[in-house]
Amino acid sequence: MKVGSLLAALFVIASITFTHAEAHAAQYTVSELPVPPGYASCKPWRIDDAGDVAGDCQTNPFTRQDAVVWTDGRVTVLPTLPGGLIGVANGLGPRGLVSGTVTSTSQSCAATWHNGVLRCLGDAGSPQVPSRSFNM
């Protein structure tokens, strides 16, 4: 009888745990990310809790790659350095802050954008200067 009671108790606990997990299952909405005019393709790199997405878009034939952010289904191309060839947005922080990398023919730097304004965080002298996350 003790084995039967134990099995019944385990069944009740398992049922409660399963029901609790079902009640709190994550809900997702899949949305197409539009490609801005003049670009051939885009890559998303990061999504935040609000659903904003950071990434980049490229032209075809490849002449440039620009950092972009999708917010509420709209895409914004972020500015790059003068003579810039490559921009990548790969981090999203609080209050609309975006991080990434920008590269021109003469300079590469880790970057942030806030309200669409580029801030170069320093020239590392390398074509690949990662800036992928925030520590706030």
Side-chain angles (χ1 to χ4, degrees), residues 1-9:
M1 194 65 161
K2 287 185 178 183
V3 172
S5 297
L6 180 59
L7 288 175

Side-chain angles (χ1 to χ4, degrees), residues 48-71:
D48 67 10
D49 292 339
D52 296 336
V53 178
D56 65 75
C57 296
Q58 298 180 358
T59 59
N60 185 16
F62 180 81
T63 56
R64 63 181 304 111
Q65 172 181 328
D66 290 315
V68 298
V69 174
W70 291 271
T71 304

Side-chain angles (χ1 to χ4, degrees), residues 21-35:
E22 282 182 335
H24 296 290
Q27 299 292 319
Y28 299 98
T29 301
V30 176
S31 300
E32 182 176 344
L33 299 174
V35 176

